[in-house]
Amino acid sequence: MRIRDWDRNLKVRLFGEALMNTTFWMFFPFMAIYFAESFGKETASVLLIVSQVFSVVANLLGGYCADMFGRKRMMVLSAYGQGAAFFIFALASSPWWSSPLVGFLCFTFAGICGAFYWPASQAMVADVVPEKDRSHVFAVFYTSVNVSVVIGPTIGGLFYANHRFALLLAAACSCFAMATLLAKQLRETAPL
């Protein structure tokens, strides 16, 4: 199954998720350093573990919510939630205000929103792709994630130290753009 033969939902998401993943990976590798400098290594380690525990629980709930409320709704709400979290995180890392605690809370909330997004995203693939073609479609999406994991930190390495505010603002804008694109372009695929 070629990409040009894909359902429109998948094409829109492939582009949007590549953008979101790239912006996320522009700063994610540097968060441990930022929190370690702000809170100390031991406290930062515990906080990052707690953040990931919340994300795991949200991921488990995400599948249920995608079935209950619809794939599109969960994806749009999650993308807007991530955008809001990154925007507040950007403000908390701005030249006018610095709050590592608010930054950590926003980082955690963004992770939770992302954890709600992915089960709905994967369920949508299962909804619109015949079973024989699913492995190919998932492979393309995972390849996109892997490319983002390479490109994002490269860009982040250039800008993170001196332009954290702008980088987080770019992440917020990409999430808001993705949420708007999903809201306007996707159709709901959840079975009734």
Side-chain angles (χ1 to χ4, degrees):
M1 182 177 209
R2 295 171 300 197
I3 292 177
R4 69 179 176 189
D5 299 326
W6 284 13
D7 182 276
R8 185 186 72 198
N9 281 7
L10 299 179
K11 291 177 188 176
V12 168
R13 288 188 29 241
L14 181 62
F15 167 75
E17 289 175 17
L19 174 66
M20 278 180 60
N21 286 329
T22 301
T23 55
F24 177 78
W25 282 99
M26 282 193 287
F27 64 88
F28 180 74
F30 307 102
M31 289 292 94
I33 297 168
Y34 172 67
F35 292 134
E37 290 173 353
S38 301
F39 302 118
K41 292 176 187 173
E42 293 80 15
T43 304
S45 299
V46 170
L47 289 174
L48 290 171
I49 289 169
V50 168
S51 171
Q52 292 309 303
V53 168
F54 280 121
S55 292
V56 167
V57 172
N59 200 314
L60 294 173
L61 292 172
Y64 171 78
C65 290
D67 289 339
M68 250 344 241
F69 305 112
R71 283 74 156 119
K72 177 181 177 179
R73 179 178 295 165
M74 290 309 301
M75 291 167 63
V76 170
L77 289 175
S78 296
Y80 276 127
Q82 276 188 315
F86 289 139
F87 181 74
I88 295 170
F89 194 172
L91 294 179
S93 298
S94 70
W96 314 283
W97 179 44
S98 179
S99 176
L101 180 59
V102 171
F104 171 74
L105 295 174
C106 290
F107 173 75
T108 301
F109 185 70
I112 290 169
C113 288
F116 272 102
Y117 181 95
W118 293 111
S121 171
Q122 293 175 341
M124 185 175 277
V125 171
D127 293 341
V128 301
V129 178
E131 190 171 347
K132 66 182 177 62
D133 296 320
R134 285 183 195 154
S135 62
H136 170 72
V137 172
F138 279 120
V140 172
F141 273 93
Y142 286 123
T143 300
S144 167
V145 169
N146 290 334
V147 169
S148 297
V149 169
V150 172
I151 294 172
T154 303
I155 296 169
L158 297 172
F159 298 107
Y160 179 81
N162 298 319
H163 304 286
R164 184 179 324 141
F165 171 69
L167 213 52
L168 290 165
L169 205 55
C173 290
S174 71
C175 289
F176 286 137
M178 174 67 172
T180 303
L181 183 68
L182 293 175
K184 291 181 181 292
Q185 296 293 320
L186 289 190
R187 62 180 170 75
E188 182 57 69
T189 63
L192 299 174

